[in-house]
Amino acid sequence: TVDESELLTVPDGWKEPAFTREDNPKGLLEESSFATLFPKYREAYLKECWPLVQKALDEHYVNATLDLIEGSMTVTTTKKTFDPYAIIRARDLIKLLARSVPFEQAVRILQDDVACDIIKIGTLVRKRDTFIKRRGRLLGPKGSTLKALELLTNCYIMVQGNTVSALGPFSGLKEVRKVVLDTMKNIHPIYNIKTLMIKRELAKDPELRSQSWERFLPKFKRKNLKKRKEPKKKNTKKEYTPFPPPQPESQIDKELASGEYFLKERQKKQKRMQEIKAKQADATKKRQEERNKAFIPPKEKPVVKTKKGN
């Protein structure tokens, strides 16, 4: 009897056998080619390192051409090419070189156990200022966050413009993509880095291979949720009535009700003057009272005489 968990796990140190000419002695029937454009600022570097690119691809019998006028790189298979996946790796190589990945790192894509992933982050955030802040958060102070992510995932990560290029094993690329997308969704990368550190320690224990790790992983909750601002003026809905509101009284209606309408012009003028004088008298009285407050003496507490003991 063999434990099922052992059958599901890959033995340590096991590697898939390399693809040789004996596996495909007749070669490929059709010629395949891929091309990609590169920005102007990469022209000088590509021109300098292109002989090394051609030498690395010649080992896999793939031709590479650099067109400086059009600004493109092209890779094509030859009659000697026996590995059908070599052209896919060559395509990824020129893509990485176009995205500012140095040749020393990009040439690793030709190995069997190395893959790459180019994550487009330019359209994930609407505002440009917010995008720059979150991309800077992914890098961290002096690139410390990116370096920690590289050590935990065993991947090489390059942040350039609107893309993030990652190069490494498949399991590490999956984690890198998750961290990058979460960072663009305003989730700080330190939370994912803490989770990766715990997973790294748990993977060392052979007893936990077949168990769920949910109880060990931290669960982070958002604490700084912004409360919705309440408006200063709240519009309260009035009860619906089928009848229209009463018509407001006009100035003539008010004068008719008070009897002022039937007074003569001279009498109306006298009445207005009396109202103005009454208001002025009230204001003068209040102002005088305020001034007199300064001359009112405060109430003094009565002095209590203490009897001296004999």
Side-chain angles (χ1 to χ4, degrees):
T1 58
V2 182
D3 191 6
E4 290 183 1
S5 62
E6 292 182 4
L7 295 174
L8 295 172
T9 55
V10 179
D12 295 332
W14 182 85
K15 282 188 177 182
E16 190 176 350
F19 193 87
T20 59
R21 186 172 286 278
E22 295 175 359
D23 298 319
N24 187 16
K26 295 183 179 180
L28 306 177
L29 297 174
E30 294 290 336
E31 183 184 286
S32 302
S33 65
F34 289 100
T36 185
L37 299 172
F38 59 86
K40 186 73 176 174
Y41 62 85
R42 291 290 289 169
E43 184 178 322
Y45 179 79
L46 290 173
K47 192 177 178 181
E48 185 182 346
C49 73
W50 196 249
L52 297 172
V53 176
Q54 287 179 323
K55 185 180 177 181
L57 291 175
D58 282 343
E59 295 176 3
H60 298 270
Y61 304 102
V62 176
N63 285 338
T65 54
L66 177 67
D67 191 348
L68 296 175
I69 298 169
E70 191 182 344
S72 65
M73 294 179 284
T74 310
V75 287
T76 54
T77 56
T78 60
K79 291 181 180 179
K80 292 183 179 180
T81 308
F82 61 89
D83 187 0
Y85 202 70
I87 188 65
I88 303 296
R89 296 191 182 281
R91 178 202 65 183
D92 293 339
L93 173 63
I94 59 175
K95 275 188 177 180
L96 291 169
L97 288 171
R99 294 314 308 153
S100 298
V101 177
F103 171 75
E104 292 78 10
Q105 293 290 340
V107 76
R108 289 172 52 210
I109 194 65
L110 299 175
Q111 301 172 13
D112 289 339
D113 56 344
V114 178
C116 73
D117 188 11
I118 297 173
I119 307 158
K120 295 179 181 178
I121 58 174
T123 57
L124 297 177
V125 184
R126 287 184 181 180
K127 294 182 180 179
R128 185 69 183 171
D129 295 341
T130 310
F131 168 73
I132 292 167
K133 284 179 183 177
R134 292 181 186 176
R135 187 180 63 181
R137 191 182 295 169
L138 182 64
L139 293 168
K142 297 182 181 179
S144 58
T145 305
L146 197 67
K147 188 66 180 175
L149 194 60
E150 286 180 348
L151 292 171
L152 289 169
T153 57
N154 295 322
C155 293
Y156 173 80
I157 305 167
M158 180 72 183
V159 181
Q160 176 69 20
N162 295 332
T163 57
V164 177
S165 305
L167 189 75
F170 290 99
S171 58
L173 293 177
K174 185 180 176 183
E175 297 293 344
V176 170
R177 176 170 276 272
K178 182 181 180 300
V179 174
V180 170
L181 294 179
D182 283 352
T183 305
M184 290 295 120
K185 292 176 185 175
N186 203 21
I187 299 171
H188 203 282
I190 194 66
Y191 299 129
N192 286 313
I193 287 171
K194 283 184 179 179
T195 307
L196 287 172
M197 289 173 71
I198 294 168
K199 283 182 179 179
R200 190 180 183 181
E201 294 299 321
L202 293 172
K204 295 177 182 177
D205 193 349
E207 295 180 0
L208 297 171
R209 278 185 176 179
S210 59
Q211 297 180 15
S212 176
W213 292 352
E214 287 295 325
R215 64 181 189 272
F216 301 110
L217 301 178
K219 294 178 182 179
F220 300 104
K221 293 182 180 180
R222 292 188 179 184
K223 295 180 181 179
N224 56 344
L225 292 174
K226 292 183 179 179
K227 293 182 180 178
R228 188 179 175 185
K229 291 183 179 179
E230 296 182 358
K232 291 182 180 179
K233 293 181 180 179
K234 292 183 179 180
N235 296 328
T236 54
K237 289 186 177 181
K238 297 178 181 179
E239 293 183 4
Y240 174 74
T241 54
F243 307 104
Q247 191 174 1
E249 291 184 347
S250 64
Q251 189 66 24
I252 296 171
D253 292 337
K254 291 177 182 178
E255 289 179 357
L256 285 169
S258 62
E260 190 180 345
Y261 183 78
F262 303 103
L263 296 174
K264 293 178 182 180
E265 192 64 32
R266 184 171 53 81
Q267 292 174 332
K268 289 180 182 179
K269 195 174 182 180
Q270 285 179 354
K271 189 177 181 183
R272 281 198 295 271
M273 290 299 293
Q274 286 175 1
E275 289 175 357
I276 291 168
K277 285 180 180 179
K279 284 183 181 178
Q280 288 177 349
D282 290 340
T284 307
K285 187 179 179 182
K286 287 180 181 178
R287 198 161 47 246
Q288 194 65 35
E289 287 176 357
E290 289 292 328
R291 287 176 180 175
N292 292 336
K293 281 182 181 178
F295 300 102
I296 298 171
K299 291 182 179 179
E300 296 180 359
K301 293 181 180 180
V303 179
V304 180
K305 293 182 179 180
T306 54
K307 293 181 180 179
K308 293 181 181 180
N310 295 328

